[in-house]
Coordinates of all heavy atoms in Angstrom, one line a residue:
M15 N 27.6 39.5 -26.7 CA 26.6 38.4 -27.0 C 25.7 38.3 -25.7 O 26.0 38.3 -24.6 CB 27.4 37.0 -27.1 CG 26.4 35.8 -27.3 SD 27.2 34.3 -26.8 CE 27.2 34.4 -25.0
F16 N 24.3 38.1 -26.1 CA 23.3 38.1 -25.1 C 22.8 36.6 -25.1 O 22.4 36.2 -26.2 CB 22.3 39.1 -25.3 CG 21.3 39.3 -24.2 CD1 21.6 39.0 -22.9 CD2 20.0 39.6 -24.4 CE1 20.7 39.2 -21.8 CE2 19.1 39.9 -23.4 CZ 19.5 39.6 -22.2
N17 N 22.7 36.0 -23.9 CA 22.3 34.7 -23.9 C 20.8 34.6 -24.1 O 20.1 35.5 -24.0 CB 22.7 34.1 -22.5 CG 22.2 32.6 -22.5 OD1 21.2 32.2 -21.7 ND2 22.9 31.8 -23.1
N18 N 20.4 33.5 -24.6 CA 19.1 33.3 -25.2 C 17.9 33.1 -24.2 O 16.8 33.0 -24.5 CB 19.1 32.1 -26.1 CG 19.6 30.8 -25.4 OD1 20.7 30.8 -24.9 ND2 18.6 29.9 -25.2
L19 N 18.2 33.1 -22.9 CA 17.2 33.0 -21.8 C 16.5 31.7 -21.9 O 15.4 31.6 -21.3 CB 16.2 34.2 -21.9 CG 16.8 35.7 -21.9 CD1 15.8 36.7 -22.0 CD2 17.8 35.9 -20.7
S20 N 17.1 30.7 -22.4 CA 16.4 29.4 -22.4 C 17.5 28.3 -22.1 O 18.6 28.5 -22.4 CB 15.9 29.1 -23.9 OG 15.4 27.8 -24.0
P21 N 17.2 27.3 -21.4 CA 18.1 26.4 -20.9 C 18.9 25.7 -22.0 O 20.1 25.4 -21.9 CB 17.3 25.4 -20.1 CG 16.1 26.0 -19.7 CD 15.8 27.0 -20.7
V22 N 18.2 25.3 -23.1 CA 18.8 24.7 -24.2 C 18.3 25.3 -25.5 O 17.1 25.5 -25.7 CB 18.5 23.1 -24.1 CG1 19.1 22.4 -25.4 CG2 18.9 22.5 -22.9
P23 N 19.1 25.6 -26.5 CA 20.6 25.4 -26.4 C 21.2 26.6 -25.8 O 20.6 27.7 -25.6 CB 21.0 25.3 -27.9 CG 19.9 26.1 -28.6 CD 18.7 25.9 -27.8
S24 N 22.5 26.4 -25.4 CA 23.2 27.6 -24.9 C 23.8 28.4 -26.1 O 23.5 28.1 -27.2 CB 24.4 27.1 -24.1 OG 25.2 26.2 -24.9
S25 N 24.3 29.5 -25.7 CA 24.8 30.4 -26.7 C 26.4 30.3 -26.9 O 27.1 30.3 -25.9 CB 24.6 31.9 -26.3 OG 23.2 32.1 -26.2
V26 N 26.8 30.1 -28.1 CA 28.3 30.0 -28.3 C 28.5 30.8 -29.6 O 28.1 30.4 -30.7 CB 28.7 28.5 -28.5 CG1 30.2 28.5 -28.6 CG2 28.3 27.7 -27.3
V27 N 29.4 31.8 -29.5 CA 29.7 32.6 -30.6 C 31.3 32.7 -30.7 O 31.9 32.8 -29.6 CB 29.2 34.1 -30.5 CG1 29.6 34.9 -31.5 CG2 27.6 34.0 -30.4
S28 N 31.8 32.6 -31.9 CA 33.3 32.6 -32.1 C 33.6 33.8 -33.0 O 32.9 34.1 -34.0 CB 33.7 31.3 -32.7 OG 33.4 30.3 -31.9
L29 N 34.8 34.3 -32.8 CA 35.4 35.3 -33.7 C 36.3 34.5 -34.6 O 37.2 33.8 -34.1 CB 36.2 36.3 -32.9 CG 36.8 37.4 -33.8 CD1 35.8 38.3 -34.5 CD2 37.8 38.3 -32.9
M30 N 36.1 34.7 -35.9 CA 36.8 33.8 -36.9 C 37.7 34.7 -37.7 O 37.3 36.0 -38.0 CB 35.8 33.1 -37.8 CG 34.7 32.3 -37.0 SD 35.4 30.9 -36.2 CE 35.8 29.9 -37.6
K31 N 38.9 34.2 -38.2 CA 39.7 34.9 -39.1 C 40.1 33.9 -40.2 O 40.6 32.8 -39.9 CB 40.9 35.5 -38.6 CG 42.0 36.0 -39.6 CD 43.3 36.4 -38.9 CE 44.3 36.8 -39.9 NZ 45.6 37.0 -39.3
N32 N 39.6 34.1 -41.4 CA 39.9 33.1 -42.6 C 39.5 31.8 -42.3 O 40.3 30.9 -42.6 CB 41.4 33.3 -43.0 CG 41.8 34.7 -43.5 OD1 40.8 35.5 -43.9 ND2 42.9 35.1 -43.3
G33 N 38.4 31.5 -41.5 CA 38.0 30.3 -41.2 C 38.6 29.6 -40.0 O 38.3 28.4 -39.6
V34 N 39.5 30.4 -39.3 CA 40.2 29.8 -38.1 C 39.5 30.5 -36.9 O 39.4 31.8 -36.8 CB 41.7 30.1 -38.2 CG1 42.4 29.6 -36.9 CG2 42.3 29.4 -39.4
R35 N 39.3 29.7 -35.9 CA 38.6 30.3 -34.7 C 39.7 31.0 -33.8 O 40.7 30.4 -33.5 CB 38.0 29.2 -33.9 CG 37.3 29.7 -32.6 CD 36.5 28.5 -31.9 NE 35.4 28.1 -32.8 CZ 35.3 26.9 -33.5 NH1 36.3 26.1 -33.4 NH2 34.3 26.6 -34.3
L36 N 39.5 32.2 -33.5 CA 40.4 33.0 -32.7 C 40.1 33.1 -31.2 O 40.9 32.9 -30.3 CB 40.5 34.5 -33.2 CG 41.0 34.6 -34.6 CD1 40.9 36.1 -35.0 CD2 42.3 34.1 -34.8
A37 N 38.8 33.1 -30.9 CA 38.3 33.2 -29.6 C 36.7 33.0 -29.6 O 36.1 33.1 -30.6 CB 38.5 34.6 -29.0
S38 N 36.2 32.5 -28.5 CA 34.8 32.3 -28.3 C 34.2 32.9 -27.0 O 35.0 33.1 -26.1 CB 34.6 30.8 -28.4 OG 34.9 30.3 -29.6
V39 N 33.0 33.1 -27.0 CA 32.3 33.3 -25.7 C 31.1 32.4 -25.6 O 30.4 32.1 -26.6 CB 31.9 34.9 -25.7 CG1 30.9 35.2 -26.9 CG2 31.3 35.2 -24.4
W40 N 30.8 31.9 -24.4 CA 29.9 31.0 -24.1 C 29.0 31.3 -23.0 O 29.4 31.8 -22.0 CB 30.6 29.6 -23.9 CG 29.8 28.4 -23.6 CD1 29.4 27.4 -24.5 CD2 29.3 28.0 -22.3 NE1 28.7 26.5 -23.7 CE2 28.6 26.9 -22.4 CE3 29.4 28.6 -21.0 CZ2 28.0 26.2 -21.4 CZ3 28.7 27.9 -20.0 CH2 28.1 26.7 -20.1
D41 N 27.7 30.9 -22.9 CA 26.8 31.0 -21.8 C 25.7 30.2 -22.0 O 25.2 29.9 -23.1 CB 26.5 32.5 -21.6 CG 25.7 32.6 -20.2 OD1 26.3 32.1 -19.2 OD2 24.6 33.1 -20.1
T42 N 25.1 29.7 -20.9 CA 23.8 29.0 -20.9 C 22.9 29.6 -19.8 O 23.5 30.1 -18.7 CB 24.0 27.5 -20.7 OG1 22.8 26.8 -20.8 CG2 24.6 27.1 -19.3
A43 N 21.6 29.6 -20.1 CA 20.7 30.1 -19.0 C 20.6 29.2 -17.8 O 20.7 28.1 -18.0 CB 19.4 30.5 -19.7
G44 N 20.4 29.8 -16.7 CA 20.0 29.0 -15.5 C 19.4 30.0 -14.5 O 18.7 30.8 -14.9
S45 N 19.8 29.9 -13.2 CA 19.2 30.8 -12.3 C 19.7 32.2 -12.5 O 19.3 33.2 -12.1 CB 19.5 30.3 -10.9 OG 20.8 30.1 -10.7
D46 N 20.9 32.2 -13.2 CA 21.5 33.5 -13.5 C 21.1 34.0 -15.0 O 22.0 34.2 -15.7 CB 23.0 33.5 -13.3 CG 23.6 32.5 -14.2 OD1 22.9 31.6 -14.7 OD2 24.8 32.5 -14.4
A47 N 19.9 34.1 -15.3 CA 19.5 34.4 -16.7 C 19.9 35.9 -17.0 O 20.5 36.6 -16.1 CB 18.0 34.3 -16.7
N48 N 19.7 36.2 -18.2 CA 20.1 37.5 -18.7 C 21.6 37.9 -18.7 O 22.0 38.9 -18.4 CB 19.3 38.7 -17.9 CG 17.8 38.6 -18.0 OD1 17.4 38.2 -19.0 ND2 17.2 39.0 -16.9
D49 N 22.4 36.8 -18.9 CA 23.9 37.0 -19.0 C 24.2 37.5 -20.3 O 23.7 37.2 -21.3 CB 24.6 35.7 -18.6 CG 24.5 35.3 -17.2 OD1 24.0 36.1 -16.4 OD2 24.8 34.1 -16.9
M50 N 25.4 38.3 -20.2 CA 26.0 38.7 -21.5 C 27.4 38.3 -21.4 O 28.1 38.2 -20.3 CB 25.9 40.3 -21.6 CG 24.4 40.8 -21.6 SD 24.2 42.5 -22.0 CE 24.1 42.4 -23.7
G51 N 28.0 38.1 -22.5 CA 29.5 37.7 -22.6 C 30.2 38.5 -23.6 O 29.6 38.9 -24.6
S52 N 31.5 38.6 -23.5 CA 32.3 39.4 -24.6 C 33.7 38.8 -24.5 O 34.1 38.1 -23.7 CB 32.3 40.9 -24.3 OG 33.0 41.1 -23.0
N53 N 34.4 39.1 -25.6 CA 35.8 38.7 -25.8 C 36.5 39.8 -26.7 O 35.8 40.5 -27.3 CB 35.8 37.3 -26.3 CG 37.0 36.5 -25.8 OD1 38.1 37.1 -25.5 ND2 36.8 35.2 -25.7
A54 N 37.8 39.7 -26.7 CA 38.5 40.6 -27.5 C 39.9 40.1 -27.9 O 40.4 39.3 -27.2 CB 38.7 41.9 -26.8
V55 N 40.4 40.4 -29.1 CA 41.7 40.0 -29.6 C 42.3 41.1 -30.3 O 41.6 42.0 -30.8 CB 41.6 38.7 -30.5 CG1 41.0 37.5 -29.8 CG2 40.9 39.1 -31.7
V56 N 43.6 41.1 -30.3 CA 44.4 42.1 -31.0 C 45.2 41.2 -32.1 O 46.0 40.5 -31.6 CB 45.3 42.9 -30.3 CG1 46.2 43.8 -31.1 CG2 44.5 43.8 -29.3
I57 N 45.0 41.5 -33.4 CA 45.7 40.5 -34.4 C 46.1 41.4 -35.5 O 45.6 42.4 -35.9 CB 44.6 39.5 -34.9 CG1 43.4 40.2 -35.5 CG2 44.3 38.5 -33.8 CD1 42.4 39.2 -36.2
P58 N 47.1 40.9 -36.1 CA 47.6 41.6 -37.5 C 46.6 41.2 -38.6 O 46.2 40.0 -38.6 CB 49.1 41.1 -37.6 CG 49.1 39.7 -37.0 CD 48.1 39.8 -35.8
L59 N 46.3 42.0 -39.4 CA 45.5 41.7 -40.7 C 46.2 42.1 -41.9 O 47.0 43.1 -42.0 CB 44.2 42.4 -40.5 CG 43.2 42.0 -39.4 CD1 42.0 42.9 -39.3 CD2 42.9 40.5 -39.6
E60 N 46.0 41.4 -43.0 CA 46.4 41.7 -44.2 C 45.2 42.0 -45.1 O 44.1 41.5 -44.8 CB 47.2 40.4 -44.9 CG 48.4 39.9 -44.1 CD 49.6 40.9 -44.0 OE1 49.7 41.7 -45.0 OE2 50.4 40.8 -43.2
V61 N 45.5 42.8 -46.1 CA 44.4 43.1 -47.1 C 43.9 41.8 -47.6 O 44.6 40.9 -48.0 CB 44.9 43.9 -48.3 CG1 43.9 44.0 -49.4 CG2 45.4 45.3 -47.8
G62 N 42.6 41.7 -47.5 CA 41.9 40.4 -48.0 C 41.4 39.5 -47.0 O 40.7 38.6 -47.2
D63 N 42.0 39.7 -45.7 CA 41.6 38.7 -44.6 C 40.2 39.0 -44.3 O 39.5 40.0 -44.4 CB 42.5 39.1 -43.4 CG 43.9 38.5 -43.4 OD1 44.1 37.6 -44.2 OD2 44.7 39.0 -42.5
N64 N 39.6 37.8 -43.9 CA 38.1 37.8 -43.7 C 37.9 37.5 -42.2 O 38.2 36.4 -41.7 CB 37.5 36.8 -44.6 CG 35.9 36.7 -44.5 OD1 35.4 37.7 -44.1 ND2 35.4 35.6 -44.9
V65 N 37.4 38.6 -41.5 CA 37.1 38.5 -40.1 C 35.7 38.5 -39.8 O 35.0 39.5 -40.3 CB 37.9 39.5 -39.3 CG1 37.6 39.5 -37.8 CG2 39.4 39.4 -39.5
Y66 N 35.1 37.6 -39.1 CA 33.6 37.6 -38.8 C 33.3 36.9 -37.6 O 34.1 36.2 -37.0 CB 33.0 36.9 -40.0 CG 33.4 35.6 -40.4 CD1 32.8 34.5 -39.9 CD2 34.5 35.4 -41.1 CE1 33.2 33.2 -40.1 CE2 35.0 34.2 -41.4 CZ 34.4 33.0 -41.0 OH 34.8 31.8 -41.2
V67 N 32.1 37.1 -37.1 CA 31.5 36.5 -35.9 C 30.7 35.4 -36.4 O 29.8 35.5 -37.3 CB 30.8 37.4 -35.0 CG1 30.0 36.7 -33.9 CG2 31.7 38.6 -34.5
Q68 N 30.9 34.2 -35.8 CA 30.1 33.0 -36.2 C 29.3 32.4 -35.0 O 29.9 32.1 -33.9 CB 31.1 31.9 -36.7 CG 30.4 30.7 -37.3 CD 31.4 29.7 -37.8 OE1 32.2 29.1 -37.0 NE2 31.6 29.6 -39.1
L69 N 28.1 32.2 -35.3 CA 27.2 31.5 -34.3 C 27.4 30.1 -34.5 O 27.0 29.6 -35.6 CB 25.7 32.0 -34.4 CG 24.7 31.3 -33.5 CD1 25.0 31.7 -32.1 CD2 23.3 31.8 -33.9
Q70 N 27.7 29.3 -33.5 CA 28.0 27.9 -33.6 C 26.7 27.2 -33.9 O 25.6 27.6 -33.5 CB 28.7 27.4 -32.5 CG 30.0 28.0 -32.2 CD 31.0 27.7 -33.4 OE1 31.3 26.7 -33.8 NE2 31.4 28.9 -34.0
A71 N 26.8 26.0 -34.5 CA 25.7 25.2 -34.9 C 24.7 24.8 -33.8 O 25.3 24.5 -32.7 CB 26.2 23.9 -35.6
N72 N 23.5 24.9 -34.0 CA 22.5 24.5 -33.0 C 22.5 25.4 -31.8 O 22.1 25.0 -30.7 CB 22.6 23.0 -32.6 CG 22.5 22.2 -33.8 OD1 21.6 22.3 -34.7 ND2 23.4 21.2 -34.0
R73 N 23.1 26.6 -31.9 CA 23.1 27.6 -30.8 C 22.3 28.8 -31.2 O 22.1 29.1 -32.4 CB 24.4 28.0 -30.4 CG 25.5 26.9 -30.2 CD 25.1 26.0 -29.0 NE 26.0 24.9 -28.8 CZ 26.2 24.2 -27.8 NH1 25.4 24.4 -26.7 NH2 27.1 23.3 -27.7
I74 N 21.8 29.5 -30.2 CA 21.1 30.8 -30.5 C 21.5 31.8 -29.6 O 22.1 31.7 -28.4 CB 19.5 30.5 -30.4 CG1 19.1 30.1 -29.0 CG2 19.1 29.5 -31.4 CD1 17.7 29.9 -28.8
V75 N 21.2 33.0 -29.9 CA 21.4 34.2 -29.0 C 20.0 34.9 -29.1 O 19.2 34.7 -30.0 CB 22.5 35.2 -29.5 CG1 23.9 34.5 -29.3 CG2 22.3 35.7 -30.9
Y76 N 19.9 35.7 -28.0 CA 18.7 36.5 -27.9 C 19.0 37.9 -28.3 O 20.0 38.5 -28.1 CB 18.1 36.6 -26.5 CG 16.9 37.5 -26.3 CD1 15.7 37.0 -26.6 CD2 17.1 38.8 -25.9 CE1 14.6 37.9 -26.5 CE2 16.1 39.7 -25.8 CZ 14.8 39.2 -26.1 OH 13.7 40.0 -26.0
D77 N 18.0 38.6 -29.1 CA 18.1 40.0 -29.3 C 16.7 40.5 -29.6 O 15.8 39.8 -29.8 CB 19.0 40.1 -30.6 CG 19.8 41.5 -30.5 OD1 19.3 42.4 -29.7 OD2 20.9 41.7 -31.1
D78 N 16.6 41.9 -29.5 CA 15.4 42.5 -29.9 C 15.8 43.9 -30.4 O 17.0 44.1 -30.8 CB 14.4 42.6 -28.8 CG 15.1 43.2 -27.5 OD1 15.9 44.0 -27.6 OD2 14.6 42.8 -26.3
N79 N 14.9 44.9 -30.4 CA 15.3 46.2 -31.0 C 16.2 47.0 -30.1 O 16.5 48.2 -30.3 CB 14.0 47.0 -31.3 CG 13.1 47.2 -30.0 OD1 13.6 47.0 -28.9 ND2 12.0 47.8 -30.3
M80 N 16.7 46.4 -29.0 CA 17.8 47.0 -28.2 C 19.2 46.8 -28.6 O 20.1 47.3 -28.2 CB 17.6 46.6 -26.8 CG 16.3 46.9 -26.1 SD 16.1 48.7 -25.9 CE 17.2 49.1 -24.6
N81 N 19.3 45.8 -29.6 CA 20.6 45.5 -30.3 C 21.7 45.1 -29.3 O 22.7 45.8 -29.1 CB 21.1 46.7 -31.2 CG 20.1 47.1 -32.2 OD1 19.4 46.2 -32.8 ND2 19.9 48.4 -32.4
Y82 N 21.5 43.9 -28.7 CA 22.4 43.5 -27.7 C 23.6 42.7 -28.2 O 24.7 42.7 -27.5 CB 21.7 42.4 -26.7 CG 20.5 43.0 -26.0 CD1 19.3 42.6 -26.2 CD2 20.7 43.9 -25.0 CE1 18.2 43.1 -25.5 CE2 19.7 44.5 -24.2 CZ 18.4 44.0 -24.5 OH 17.4 44.5 -23.9
N83 N 23.5 42.2 -29.4 CA 24.6 41.5 -30.1 C 25.4 42.4 -31.1 O 24.8 42.8 -32.1 CB 24.2 40.3 -30.7 CG 23.5 39.3 -29.7 OD1 24.2 38.7 -28.9 ND2 22.2 39.3 -29.6
T84 N 26.6 42.8 -30.7 CA 27.4 43.7 -31.6 C 28.8 43.2 -31.9 O 29.3 42.3 -31.2 CB 27.5 45.0 -31.0 OG1 28.2 44.9 -29.8 CG2 26.1 45.6 -30.7
F85 N 29.4 43.7 -32.9 CA 30.8 43.4 -33.2 C 31.4 44.8 -33.6 O 30.8 45.6 -34.3 CB 30.8 42.5 -34.5 CG 32.2 42.4 -35.1 CD1 33.2 41.5 -34.5 CD2 32.7 43.2 -36.1 CE1 34.5 41.5 -35.0 CE2 33.8 43.2 -36.6 CZ 34.8 42.3 -36.0
S86 N 32.6 45.0 -33.0 CA 33.3 46.2 -33.4 C 34.8 45.8 -33.8 O 35.4 44.9 -33.2 CB 33.4 47.1 -32.1 OG 32.1 47.5 -31.7
G87 N 35.4 46.6 -34.6 CA 36.7 46.4 -35.0 C 37.4 47.7 -35.1 O 36.8 48.7 -35.6
F88 N 38.6 47.8 -34.7 CA 39.4 49.1 -34.6 C 40.8 49.0 -35.3 O 41.4 48.0 -34.9 CB 39.6 49.6 -33.2 CG 38.3 49.7 -32.4 CD1 37.8 48.6 -31.7 CD2 37.5 50.8 -32.5 CE1 36.6 48.7 -31.0 CE2 36.3 51.0 -31.8 CZ 35.9 49.9 -31.0
L89 N 41.1 49.8 -36.1 CA 42.5 49.9 -36.7 C 43.4 50.5 -35.7 O 43.2 51.8 -35.5 CB 42.5 50.6 -38.0 CG 43.8 50.8 -38.8 CD1 44.4 49.4 -39.1 CD2 43.7 51.6 -40.0
L90 N 44.4 49.8 -35.2 CA 45.3 50.4 -34.2 C 46.4 51.2 -34.9 O 46.8 52.2 -34.5 CB 45.8 49.3 -33.3 CG 44.8 48.5 -32.5 CD1 45.5 47.5 -31.6 CD2 44.0 49.5 -31.7
F91 N 47.0 50.6 -36.0 CA 48.1 51.3 -36.7 C 48.2 50.5 -38.0 O 47.8 49.4 -38.2 CB 49.4 51.3 -35.9 CG 49.9 50.0 -35.5 CD1 50.7 49.3 -36.4 CD2 49.6 49.4 -34.3 CE1 51.2 48.0 -36.0 CE2 50.1 48.1 -34.0 CZ 50.8 47.4 -34.8
T92 N 48.9 51.2 -39.0 CA 49.3 50.5 -40.2 C 50.8 50.4 -40.3 O 51.5 51.1 -39.6 CB 48.8 51.4 -41.4 OG1 49.4 52.7 -41.3 CG2 47.2 51.5 -41.5
T93 N 51.2 49.5 -41.1 CA 52.7 49.3 -41.3 C 53.2 49.7 -42.6 O 52.4 49.8 -43.5 CB 53.0 47.8 -41.1 OG1 52.4 47.0 -42.0 CG2 52.7 47.3 -39.6
Ligands
CA114 CA1 24.0 32.0 -17.6

């Protein structure tokens, strides 16, 4: 997640699973502008689970054609 380079609002992005928040990353601009944040989880998934990144209400992130905001998922193993 790339912070919006503006004092207000800050950037808050959460990783969600079936509507439940698993982890979040947060930043606000200041004298240390151009900040980036990341987070990671390892979770079991069942067929039909819905995993997504959610931008919290009244928050923004910055992006342009450099694609700073990304999401990646990796299958570690199957049971
Ligand atoms: Ca910052």
Side-chain angles (χ1 to χ4, degrees):
M15 176 205 72
F16 190 28
N17 184 251
N18 55 296
L19 306 181
S20 174
V22 178
S24 55
S25 301
V26 185
V27 175
S28 298
L29 180 66
M30 309 290 291
K31 174 186 171 186
N32 298 333
V34 176
R35 182 173 297 107
L36 300 177
S38 299
V39 62
W40 177 95
D41 188 51
T42 186
S45 58
D46 59 341
N48 297 328
D49 287 347
M50 305 188 88
S52 64
N53 213 330
V55 298
V56 176
I57 55 172
L59 291 175
E60 302 290 339
V61 173
D63 280 345
N64 188 16
V65 177
Y66 54 97
V67 174
Q68 183 178 71
L69 180 64
Q70 297 302 301
N72 302 314
R73 310 293 182 169
I74 60 175
V75 293
Y76 174 83
D77 214 336
D78 55 27
N79 60 9
M80 297 297 283
N81 302 326
Y82 298 111
N83 298 283
T84 62
F85 169 83
S86 299
F88 304 93
L89 176 62
L90 299 181
F91 59 87
T92 60
T93 57

